[in-house]
Amino acid sequence: MMSTISKELFSELKQRTVNCVNQPNDESIAALRQFVTKCDKHFINSLYQYSIFPLRLIISNLPKKQNNCEKTIESSVECLSLILQKSQINRFDIFADILSNLLHLIDDNSYTIDTEFTFKASEDLILSVIKCAKILIQNCDDCILGQVVSPAFSPQFGHAIHILLSSANKQKYHLIKSEAIETIDCLISKCQLSLNQDTLKTCPQDLIAYFLPGISINISQLISSDDKLNRKVINSSLTLLSNTVVFVFKSISCDTDIEYKKIDDMQVANAPEECERNGFHVIRDKKWLENTCDKLNIVFDKIISILISHQNWNVRQSLQTFVTHILTNCCPLFINRCLSSLIRVSLTYLSDDFEQISHESDVFLTKLSKTSASSDSSKSYLDLIEDQIYSYITSLPRIIRTCSERERITAIYLLYGYIKCLDTNGINYMLYSPQHKHKLFECFIDICQFDYIGIRLLELITYSDKAIHLSDEQLPHKWIRKDFTYLCDEKSVIALTKCCQLIGQRVESQVLTDYLVDVLRQSNMNSSVIFVTNQILSSVSANYADIEELLEQYVTNITTTLEDKSVENMNKDILRQCLLIEGLTCFLHLYDSDSSHNYLLKCIFPLLESVGASNLCIYQTSHRALTLVSQHFGYESISRLVVKNIDYLVNCICIHLKHFVDNQRVPIVIKVMLKFSTQDTLHLFTDIIDEIIVVIDCYHRKFVRNKNISENLENENEVISDNEEECDYREDDTSADEKTKVPFYVPLVEKICERCVHIISNPDPKVRLIVLDIIVDCLRILKPFEDHLLPMAHKLWSPLVERFTDKDVIVTKRSFACLRVMSEICGDFIRARTLKEVIPRILLFLRSQSLVSSGKDKGSAYRFTIAYQFQNDILCGIGSIAVNLGLSDKDLWPLIVDTMPYLHSHQPLPLQESAIAALTQMSKLDPNSVYYYLKMTFSTDSVISHENKSFPDLRFEGNKQEFSANVIKLLEYLSINSS
């Protein structure tokens, strides 16, 4: 007996269903939906057949009778979904009818014959229909599952899959795609549950196996249809395909025609005949399995090639889950046929950026290795890797050259997976074959070809004397960037580096180092070979004695001298040197504190030499390498490294200086050592400086000898032997040191200055410039020691004066700078000779050049000439020189006179400003003279009278308007300072 409440609810339900039948519109359907919403699940389930009856009529009939009824049908479908959610469908006929009518609505071919009423489902309706069909399948009772997979229902079953796959492929809306795929997956899941039914009359796997080609092909087309396909659609598609494959291939025996039989003998005889009449069945025997697996491999390869490089980590994780699910649950026969296509996903994802994916891949491969090792019927995936790795490394360079950057990363990740899964024995066994070993290294070298086009490396030039004074904050904290031809993304380079390091970890060190030495020699120290060798060495485990030959190969090829070649070849040289220097640090982990001297004896000298390189890339690389060496062996800094090994370095330099012809980069090493040394170690350089002086004397004597021979061949026999003179120099130096008690460095500076007297006339202008800089430094050092300073200034004076007539203006310019310093240090000593020998030459240059610079505006090319720079230097320094020399009135007048033309408004503005500064300096010595010459140039007052009438009037005729602005500015300065 129904309760009173139930009767009332049924009465209300009856009224609303009748209204829907009589008046199928939005209002009546909305009223029914409202009623269903407020009713509990138990009530609706008990009357679900009654509740859905009007909705079934509307869905099946309304599209044939009425146009523009889509909204009403959509409301009906949504209401039906609500009822099905609260119901358990236990009648197969109702299930089949509803599923058929629903899918009929979204079938493009359903209403093409009827021309009177046209019906085209919108995206919203299609989505509602698919969701309703999904709910229907989810809520069907287990008792009807046997009929769902029966041969009689097979056509409808296939039609449903076809329509859903068609909707997933044709519709653009991603929710439709994902819902359609999930609905098919739900239908197949119900087929799996049907295996538990006692009334089962056929094998569900045979039914799904029939539809497997269509499902797999459509999934492949869907995934490849759009590069920007929604990740939820991709995940759903992979889940569907993996579940379908696992369901069909999970348990299959090829000894019989039909593997799964859960029916009695009578049913076995009849089931295949019924299936054969409908045509929806397959016989899953060995031949079918082989053919199907071959076709599935094509689908797998296509899907994997598209998704394996996907940027979204969720998609990559779904692909790994897809592979894991199939290879874990399918039968061994299937795994043997499809392992090669699927395993590369897990091998690739061993290096994935997302840690969870790489971990899942690692766990799965470990499990697969154990499973395959214990199984007699399945082929070990390690055997498969050994079979495939050779062909893969052969094709990898071609793949790298032709694919996108993301695909390159994936391809290198796969190589890493191959190498990692081969254990130590496996990789060593493979590399015992010369062919395999050569092919693997050739693959690495082909991949990491460098790009030498452009001038990026060559343009980074710096002068070593400035470079070595860069602070640690100004230096990069990583190696220089390397441009590869094919590897544009840093991730590609890192992936390749990991492959090389893995080789270094697993291959026997002796075999590896011997091969690397041979490869380096045969390649003539090719940059790509060095790069690969560096990465392998950074992880190799060996005794340092085993790699000494390889280390020697690096050290002997390090040079910082760049030959004058094409830009591309010079870039090659720079990069090769940087890689060799980097390579020295790759040996560090093989040396400990006990064996540090073995490393430092070989490497510290070439590294210090490289720090003095003129190219910034080489300098930065060597500086970083020295920093790493210092840190590895426990030194606080590079300075501490140099100081602690100063004895060895000094001895090494002295030996090199004795053979200077073959070691002409030694001075660079000395300069770098001085930079990194401390004051308390300076005395250790005495021997070095003595050797340098010997070398200088030797070369100077040879120069003089050759010069004399060229002038007069008859005097050839009068030349003294080098050894005798060398001894004389040393004896004189010793006696000089004994006579005076001064700091040890003063005699050294004097020796250097004495050699500068001769070298300052060297034909090479670069040498003359360096000598002038040395003279400046020496004079500053000798300033506190006047007894040594003045004699040295006297010796230097004549050669210095000659430089003011040098054919190279830049040398004359530097000589003037040297004169300024000399005037500061010993101005009184050189006053007379400066006025007599230098000032006239300087003033002559100013007079002649003032005519040239006049009218040269801001855009003139003249402003970039050495002559202009020299002009500016003279005007900036002539005033301070006059002050330092303490010039009197008549000595100062020529300087004032020749500076005045530069107050002209047509002169370049920087020269005008420098002239004002010079006259301002001169006014400190004689303001009256400066005032007089200014007034004679331009004056607003023609006559100036004194208060005392006994003095005559002063008359000025200066009326040069072009000078007015600068003259007035100086007169104002003089008037302020006089008051």
Side-chain angles (χ1 to χ4, degrees):
M1 296 290 292
M2 294 180 64
S3 65
T4 306
I5 297 177
S6 298
K7 289 180 180 180
E8 292 176 357
L9 289 175
F10 177 76
S11 176
E12 186 176 355
L13 174 62
K14 180 179 179 182
Q15 180 63 39
R16 299 196 181 205
T17 53
V18 170
N19 290 340
C20 287
V21 174
N22 295 332
Q23 298 177 349
N25 53 41
D26 295 342
E27 291 77 11
S28 61
I29 296 171
L32 177 59
R33 182 175 182 176
Q34 184 180 9
F35 173 78
V36 173
T37 303
K38 71 179 183 179
C39 292
D40 59 34
K41 185 176 181 179
H42 178 72
F43 176 78
I44 296 298
N45 186 47
S46 62
L47 296 172
Y48 80 88
Q49 299 180 37
Y50 192 85
S51 304
I52 64 176
F53 176 74
L55 300 175
R56 291 168 60 191
L57 289 177
I58 294 173
I59 291 171
S60 61
N61 296 326
L62 195 60
K64 304 174 184 177
K65 299 179 179 180
Q66 182 179 327
N67 286 322
N68 302 322
C69 59
E70 182 178 328
K71 189 175 180 181
T72 304
I73 295 174
E74 185 177 351
S75 300
S76 302
V77 172
E78 291 174 353
C79 184
L80 179 60
S81 299
L82 184 61
I83 296 173
L84 292 175
Q85 281 180 337
K86 297 185 176 185
S87 307
Q88 193 76 16
I89 312 301
N90 51 15
R91 284 185 53 182
F92 176 73
D93 58 333
I94 295 178
F95 170 84
D97 182 67
I98 295 176
L99 183 63
S100 177
N101 288 329
L102 284 172
L103 298 179
H104 194 69
L105 290 173
I106 60 175
D107 187 0
D108 293 338
N109 299 321
S110 298
Y111 302 98
T112 56
I113 301 176
D114 196 337
T115 56
E116 182 178 356
F117 299 101
T118 58
F119 180 79
K120 180 71 174 178
S122 65
E123 285 187 342
D124 291 338
L125 177 57
I126 294 173
L127 181 60
S128 298
V129 167
I130 295 175
K131 285 183 176 180
C132 185
K134 182 180 176 182
I135 294 170
L136 172 67
I137 296 169
Q138 289 173 338
N139 288 278
C140 70
D141 195 86
D142 292 348
C143 64
I144 66 171
L145 293 180
Q147 294 174 282
V148 171
V149 296
S150 65
F153 188 67
S154 296
Q156 285 181 273
F157 191 97
H159 185 249
I161 291 177
H162 166 73
I163 292 175
L164 291 170
L165 286 173
S166 179
S167 299
N169 270 300
K170 293 180 179 179
Q171 298 299 323
K172 302 297 183 183
Y173 190 24
H174 70 88
L175 282 180
I176 295 178
K177 293 177 179 290
S178 60
E179 287 292 335
I181 295 299
E182 289 173 7
T183 302
I184 300 174
D185 190 40
C186 184
L187 189 59
I188 293 176
S189 298
K190 288 294 182 180
C191 293
Q192 295 179 13
L193 292 174
S194 68
L195 294 173
N196 300 321
Q197 298 298 310
D198 296 331
T199 59
L200 192 64
K201 296 184 178 181
T202 188
C203 182
Q205 289 99 324
D206 291 344
L207 175 65
I208 302 303
Y210 179 83
F211 300 113
L212 178 61
I215 293 173
S216 59
I217 292 172
N218 275 274
I219 292 298
S220 173
Q221 291 174 349
L222 175 61
I223 291 175
S224 61
S225 63
D226 188 2
D227 294 338
K228 299 180 180 179
L229 190 64
N230 184 271
R231 64 179 179 84
K232 185 179 179 182
V233 178
I234 297 175
N235 296 345
S236 300
S237 301
L238 292 175
T239 302
L240 169 61
L241 184 56
S242 65
N243 288 340
T244 305
V245 170
V246 168
F247 181 57
V248 174
F249 292 99
K250 184 173 184 179
S251 177
I252 186 169
S253 171
C254 297
D255 297 331
T256 58
D257 291 340
I258 300 178
E259 171 272 344
Y260 194 93
K261 299 180 180 180
K262 206 172 182 180
I263 50 180
D264 55 31
D265 296 336
M266 294 295 294
Q267 292 168 335
V268 169
N270 297 327
E273 296 179 2
E274 189 173 0
C275 288
E276 190 173 356
R277 288 197 300 270
N278 292 320
F280 294 96
H281 80 291
V282 293
I283 299 176
R284 292 178 299 135
D285 55 10
K286 186 174 182 179
K287 182 178 179 181
W288 174 87
L289 183 142
E290 292 175 350
N291 291 335
T292 304
C293 287
D294 291 342
K295 294 173 182 177
L296 278 176
N297 279 330
I298 299 173
V299 174
F300 291 154
D301 288 339
K302 184 176 181 180
I303 292 174
I304 291 171
S305 63
I306 295 170
L307 299 183
I308 197 169
S309 305
H310 204 281
Q311 294 183 351
N312 190 295
W313 67 268
N314 192 274
V315 173
R316 300 199 304 274
Q317 188 176 33
S318 297
L319 185 61
Q320 172 58 35
T321 304
F322 166 81
V323 171
T324 303
H325 184 51
I326 292 177
L327 293 181
T328 304
N329 294 286
C330 287
C331 65
L333 294 173
F334 174 85
I335 293 175
N336 283 343
R337 303 290 297 193
C338 298
L339 181 63
S340 59
S341 296
L342 296 172
I343 194 65
R344 62 191 181 104
V345 173
S346 299
L347 293 174
T348 302
Y349 287 164
L350 280 173
S351 304
D352 195 85
D353 299 335
F354 196 68
E355 186 176 355
Q356 186 176 348
I357 298 176
S358 60
H359 176 71
E360 289 177 1
S361 301
D362 193 19
V363 170
F364 166 68
L365 289 172
T366 303
K367 181 180 177 182
L368 183 63
S369 176
K370 294 178 180 178
T371 304
S372 60
S374 60
S375 176
D376 297 331
S377 59
S378 60
K379 185 178 182 180
S380 169
Y381 86 108
L382 292 178
D383 296 334
L384 177 70
I385 289 172
E386 291 176 1
D387 293 343
Q388 289 191 339
I389 188 169
Y390 184 78
S391 61
Y392 185 71
I393 60 177
T394 303
S395 61
L396 184 57
R398 175 185 54 79
I399 296 172
I400 295 294
R401 288 193 294 268
T402 57
C403 63
S404 66
E405 192 61 34
R406 182 73 193 176
E407 291 169 339
R408 286 172 186 157
I409 298 173
T410 303
I412 300 173
Y413 280 174
L414 179 55
L415 177 61
Y416 177 83
Y418 277 129
I419 298 172
K420 186 173 182 179
C421 288
L422 285 174
D423 55 12
T424 302
N425 293 331
I427 192 68
N428 277 289
Y429 179 77
M430 186 186 81
L431 294 184
Y432 282 146
S433 165
Q435 187 178 12
H436 281 73
K437 183 163 53 180
H438 176 72
K439 207 66 184 178
L440 179 61
F441 281 90
E442 187 180 60
C443 171
F444 286 144
I445 294 166
D446 287 344
I447 292 172
C448 65
Q449 292 295 316
F450 289 100
D451 180 15
Y452 303 104
I453 305 301
I455 58 171
R456 191 187 66 80
L457 294 174
L458 183 60
E459 69 184 352
L460 298 177
I461 299 293
T462 184
Y463 291 103
S464 56
D465 57 342
K466 296 180 181 179
I468 59 176
H469 287 89
L470 293 175
S471 64
D472 291 340
E473 290 75 15
Q474 293 174 294
L475 293 168
H477 297 288
K478 58 182 180 180
W479 301 119
I480 63 167
R481 183 173 66 87
K482 302 166 185 67
D483 294 328
F484 295 87
T485 304
Y486 306 115
L487 307 180
C488 302
D489 194 314
E490 189 176 357
K491 289 183 179 179
S492 303
V493 182
I494 294 173
L496 183 62
T497 299
K498 289 174 64 179
C499 292
C500 296
Q501 291 174 347
L502 196 59
I503 292 291
Q505 292 170 9
R506 298 195 171 184
V507 179
E508 291 182 8
S509 59
Q510 191 61 52
V511 175
L512 191 59
T513 52
D514 290 344
Y515 180 76
L516 290 176
V517 169
D518 293 339
V519 171
L520 286 170
R521 287 173 179 169
Q522 293 170 8
S523 68
N524 295 321
M525 304 305 291
N526 177 273
S527 296
S528 298
V529 177
I530 299 171
F531 176 80
V532 172
T533 305
N534 288 350
Q535 309 314 313
I536 294 173
L537 284 173
S538 64
S539 63
V540 71
S541 299
N543 187 287
Y544 71 88
D546 296 336
I547 51 87
E548 285 191 342
E549 185 180 3
L550 191 57
L551 179 60
E552 191 68 29
Q553 191 80 6
Y554 272 71
V555 172
T556 54
N557 282 280
I558 291 179
T559 174
T560 55
T561 303
L562 301 178
E563 299 181 17
D564 188 11
K565 307 175 184 176
S566 65
V567 171
E568 182 176 347
N569 287 332
M570 293 187 73
N571 277 333
K572 286 183 179 179
D573 285 347
I574 293 169
L575 183 59
R576 182 188 299 112
Q577 294 308 312
C578 290
L579 289 169
L580 286 170
I581 295 167
E582 287 180 25
L584 293 183
T585 65
C586 296
F587 292 87
L588 282 174
H589 68 283
L590 302 175
Y591 293 84
D592 54 18
S593 57
D594 296 333
S595 58
S596 61
H597 64 282
N598 294 293
Y599 180 88
L600 294 175
L601 287 175
K602 291 183 175 66
C603 300
I604 189 171
F605 194 88
L607 285 175
L608 287 172
E609 180 181 346
S610 301
V611 171
S614 60
N615 181 268
L616 185 60
C617 292
I618 297 177
Y619 163 70
Q620 290 178 343
T621 303
S622 54
H623 192 285
R624 175 169 166 75
L626 270 176
T627 303
L628 294 176
V629 171
S630 303
Q631 293 172 353
H632 181 77
F633 292 121
Y635 297 102
E636 299 172 0
S637 62
I638 299 177
S639 295
R640 296 302 302 168
L641 174 68
V642 172
V643 169
K644 289 296 183 180
N645 295 275
I646 194 78
D647 292 336
Y648 160 71
L649 289 170
V650 169
N651 181 62
C652 189
I653 288 173
C654 290
I655 294 173
H656 281 71
L657 285 172
K658 292 182 184 298
H659 308 280
F660 184 70
V661 175
D662 300 322
N663 302 281
Q664 297 188 20
R665 296 284 300 174
V666 175
I668 300 296
V669 180
I670 300 172
K671 181 187 291 187
V672 175
M673 285 177 59
L674 287 168
K675 187 262 179 180
F676 288 115
S677 297
T678 55
Q679 190 172 1
D680 58 342
T681 60
L682 195 59
H683 66 281
L684 297 173
F685 287 85
T686 304
D687 292 340
I688 294 178
I689 295 174
D690 287 340
E691 289 293 340
I692 292 175
I693 289 172
V694 170
V695 172
I696 292 173
D697 291 343
C698 179
Y699 276 85
H700 178 66
R701 286 193 299 275
K702 288 181 180 179
F703 171 73
V704 173
R705 178 193 305 167
N706 292 335
K707 184 178 180 181
N708 292 336
I709 289 174
S710 64
E711 293 175 355
N712 188 358
L713 295 175
E714 295 178 358
N715 297 329
E716 181 179 0
N717 297 326
E718 299 178 6
V719 180
I720 308 174
S721 68
D722 292 343
N723 293 332
E724 292 177 3
E725 291 191 29
E726 188 175 312
C727 294
D728 293 340
Y729 268 109
R730 290 182 175 177
E731 289 174 3
D732 293 342
D733 293 340
T734 305
S735 61
D737 289 341
E738 292 175 352
K739 291 178 183 178
T740 57
K741 296 296 182 181
V742 292
F744 74 93
Y745 58 83
V746 173
L748 295 178
V749 172
E750 285 185 300
K751 291 179 184 179
I752 294 170
C753 277
E754 287 173 355
R755 273 66 186 179
C756 290
V757 171
H758 305 293
I759 306 175
I760 197 172
S761 60
N762 190 282
D764 189 347
K766 294 181 181 179
V767 175
R768 300 200 296 274
L769 291 173
I770 293 172
V771 171
L772 287 168
D773 290 339
I774 293 173
I775 290 173
V776 169
D777 292 334
C778 289
L779 291 174
R780 292 189 188 278
I781 295 171
L782 293 174
K783 183 178 180 180
F785 310 98
E786 190 172 283
D787 292 343
H788 298 267
L789 170 66
L790 298 183
M792 193 54 61
H794 176 72
K795 290 181 181 180
L796 290 169
W797 180 256
S798 295
L800 178 63
V801 171
E802 292 299 321
R803 301 282 65 77
F804 282 93
T805 57
D806 199 288
K807 61 181 179 179
D808 291 297
V809 180
I810 189 171
V811 176
T812 307
K813 177 175 176 289
R814 193 72 60 86
S815 302
F816 182 77
C818 185
L819 178 66
R820 288 183 66 178
V821 174
M822 191 174 287
S823 70
E824 294 174 10
I825 295 173
C826 51
D828 294 339
F829 182 74
I830 64 169
R831 182 190 300 114
R833 61 184 76 188
T834 302
L835 286 171
K836 180 181 178 180
E837 301 178 52
V838 178
I839 294 296
R841 297 179 184 181
I842 293 174
L843 297 181
L844 177 63
F845 179 82
L846 279 181
R847 284 195 299 272
S848 61
Q849 211 65 26
S850 64
L851 302 175
V852 178
S853 61
S854 179
K856 298 297 189 294
D857 57 12
K858 189 174 182 179
S860 173
Y862 176 74
R863 293 199 181 193
F864 299 95
T865 62
I866 294 294
Y868 168 79
Q869 295 174 17
F870 189 28
Q871 268 181 292
N872 197 30
D873 284 356
I874 292 175
L875 291 172
C876 289
I878 194 70
S880 62
I881 290 176
V883 172
N884 293 331
L885 296 178
L887 299 183
S888 60
D889 298 347
K890 64 177 182 179
D891 294 330
L892 193 63
W893 291 345
L895 275 68
I896 300 173
V897 171
D898 288 325
T899 305
M900 292 299 297
Y902 289 94
L903 298 178
H904 197 289
S905 60
H906 288 176
Q907 290 289 342
L909 183 59
L911 296 184
Q912 295 180 46
E913 294 173 349
S914 299
I916 293 172
L919 291 169
T920 301
Q921 291 277 351
M922 295 177 196
S923 68
K924 297 177 182 179
L925 297 170
D926 187 0
N928 293 328
S929 296
V930 175
Y931 179 84
Y932 174 78
Y933 281 105
L934 289 173
K935 297 294 283 185
M936 290 299 292
T937 303
F938 175 80
S939 177
T940 56
D941 302 321
S942 59
V943 179
I944 298 179
S945 300
H946 199 272
E947 295 178 358
N948 191 338
K949 297 300 182 180
S950 61
F951 289 98
D953 294 340
L954 292 176
R955 297 184 179 276
F956 299 105
E957 299 178 356
N959 191 25
K960 300 177 181 178
Q961 295 295 327
E962 297 84 356
F963 293 84
S964 59
N966 291 323
V967 170
I968 291 172
K969 188 182 298 184
L970 283 165
L971 288 172
E972 289 176 353
Y973 170 79
L974 291 174
S975 63
I976 293 172
N977 284 272
S978 63
S979 59

